Amino acid sequence: MAGGRAGSLKDPDVAELFFKDDPEKLFSDLREIGHGSFGAVYFARDVRNSEVVAIKKMSYSGKQSNEKWQDIIKEVRFLQKLRHPNTIQYRGCYLREHTAWLVMEYCLGSASDLLEGK
């Protein structure tokens, strides 16, 4: 593979998965709304158009950093292909300080709310 190890940002196929902008300049009013083993999910507002979004922050530093990075690449590739009116829309992914910011359409409730019939 060109550019070193698998999943390197030097690989154009990997680099194109991520926006180059600084997400801290694009999103404001971040408030944590959920937490899991992967990291945390935040409510936020896109400063460019005032759209409310959900941001899942996933760190890829520390233990098993390569495995975490590979999982992020897989998730971004999957989300980019997912296009259906009944799924949450993917807005893009940004990188900052060894953390991926996966930006999604914001929806009230959660998957567990749906399963419980709320």
Side-chain angles (χ1 to χ4, degrees):
M1 163 157 304
R5 67 187 178 110
S8 169
L9 282 170
K10 293 182 176 126
D11 179 342
D13 289 338
V14 173
E16 73 179 6
L17 298 174
F18 305 100
F19 288 114
K20 307 296 182 252
D21 310 271
D22 179 351
E24 289 199 344
K25 293 180 176 152
L26 300 179
F27 302 99
S28 64
D29 301 331
L30 269 75
R31 287 177 282 205
E32 188 173 324
I33 55 174
H35 204 90
S37 59
F38 57 83
V41 177
Y42 297 83
F43 165 100
R45 191 171 301 278
D46 188 324
V47 299
R48 296 165 292 186
N49 57 17
S50 296
E51 178 186 16
V52 172
V53 295
I55 298 175
K56 181 163 77 167
K57 288 189 182 184
M58 299 168 59
S59 171
Y60 53 94
S61 63
K63 289 184 179 178
Q64 293 150 345
S65 60
N66 188 51
E67 290 86 349
K68 291 176 191 175
W69 176 245
Q70 297 301 328
D71 287 346
I72 289 166
I73 291 171
K74 283 185 215 159
E75 185 162 357
V76 170
R77 284 187 169 140
F78 173 77
L79 291 170
Q80 283 183 336
K81 291 176 187 163
L82 196 62
R83 295 279 182 262
H84 190 276
N86 296 339
T87 61
I88 293 172
Q89 288 187 338
Y90 172 69
R91 300 278 194 249
C93 190
Y94 302 81
L95 302 176
R96 179 170 171 85
E97 296 173 354
H98 292 91
T99 302
W101 295 39
L102 274 79
V103 181
M104 312 287 288
E105 171 186 22
Y106 178 79
C107 294
L108 284 173
S110 67
S112 62
D113 290 343
L114 292 172
L115 295 172
E116 293 170 16
K118 290 184 179 177

